[in-house]
Amino acid sequence: MAKKVIILGVSGSIAAYKAADIISALNKSGHEIFVIMTKEACDFITPLTLQTLSSNKVYNDMFAIPEEWDTKHISLAKRADLILIAPATANIIGKLACGICDDLLTCAVTASRAPVLIAPAMNDIMYKNKIVQENIARLKGAGYKFVGPKIGRLACGDTAIGCLAEIESIIEAVAKVFAAR
C-alpha cells in the first residue's frame, strides 16, 4: 500500500495514552501521521510524546500564531487521506454529529473530504446513552466509519463495553478504509 497521510485526532479520554501505540503501529504500516489533540487530551498525554513518535508537529491550538501563514484546519484537512479519531469521547462524537466546530479537530474533520474513522472510548453508561447512540447513528449515516469499543476494564473499575478497540483492530479498520477507496 502506498504511503498515506493520516490525521490522528486524540480527544480527552484516559485511553489517550494508547495514541502512542496507534502512532507506532501506523508508522510500521508506512503511513505519515499528523496529530491533532483536543485541549482535554493534553491533560492525559503530552503533545511532545506524540510529536516524538509521529516525527511531525502536534497541533492543538487553532488560534496559535503560525510560524508561517497557514490556516491549519484547512491545510491539514486537505492533506489527509484519512482522519482517525482515537480515542473518541462522547463529547467529540456529539460535536461532530451536530456540526459544532469549536476546536482544531472538529474544524479539520468538517473541512476535510477524507474518510473519517472513529474509535470510541468512554464509560459504558455514556456509550449506551440514547443521545450518544443517536449521534453515532447520525455519523454512520453520513458515511463515518467506527471501530469498537470493546468490553474491558473501564477507568471506573467496572468491566463493560466502552474500552478503546485493540490497536490491531484499529489498524485493520484503517486498512479496510483504504482498501475500499
Side-chain angles (χ1 to χ4, degrees):
M1 174 175 8
K3 183 177 191 174
K4 301 287 188 179
V5 173
I6 298 173
I7 292 176
L8 174 61
V10 182
S11 64
S13 163
I14 187 64
Y17 76 93
K18 293 182 180 182
D21 293 330
I22 293 169
I23 291 169
S24 295
L26 290 171
N27 278 334
K28 285 180 189 173
S29 297
H31 302 300
E32 184 172 12
I33 297 90
F34 292 89
V35 179
I36 299 176
M37 299 176 74
T38 64
K39 180 182 66 138
E40 296 80 10
C42 296
D43 291 333
F44 290 100
I45 188 167
T46 69
L48 179 60
T49 299
L50 303 184
Q51 180 171 299
T52 301
L53 293 169
S54 70
S55 299
N56 285 310
K57 177 179 167 69
V58 169
Y59 300 93
N60 59 9
D61 184 356
M62 187 160 57
F63 299 108
I65 297 174
E67 295 168 20
E68 57 188 61
W69 176 245
D70 190 10
T71 310
K72 281 297 164 219
H73 67 286
I74 301 297
S75 65
L76 287 170
K78 284 182 177 180
R79 188 182 305 178
D81 294 305
L82 171 71
I83 298 176
L84 167 63
I85 304 174
T89 59
N91 183 53
I92 203 79
I93 290 169
K95 288 198 285 187
L96 290 171
C98 293
I100 297 171
C101 300
D102 65 351
D103 60 28
L104 186 57
L105 179 56
T106 54
C107 284
V109 170
T110 304
S112 180
R113 290 189 177 113
V116 178
L117 176 62
I118 298 175
M122 64 194 78
N123 178 274
D124 65 310
I125 297 168
M126 294 172 72
Y127 180 70
K128 293 175 185 175
N129 180 284
K130 181 180 179 184
I131 295 169
V132 172
Q133 288 301 307
E134 288 172 359
N135 288 336
I136 290 170
R138 185 173 191 179
L139 290 172
K140 285 180 178 180
Y144 289 51
K145 305 294 182 200
F146 282 78
V147 56
K150 67 176 184 137
I151 295 173
R153 188 170 186 279
L154 303 173
C156 66
D158 294 345
T159 299
I161 188 98
C163 287
L164 185 69
E166 295 292 337
I167 305 304
E168 297 79 23
S169 298
I170 294 170
I171 302 309
E172 288 173 14
V174 167
K176 283 181 185 176
V177 170
F178 286 140
R181 294 191 84 203

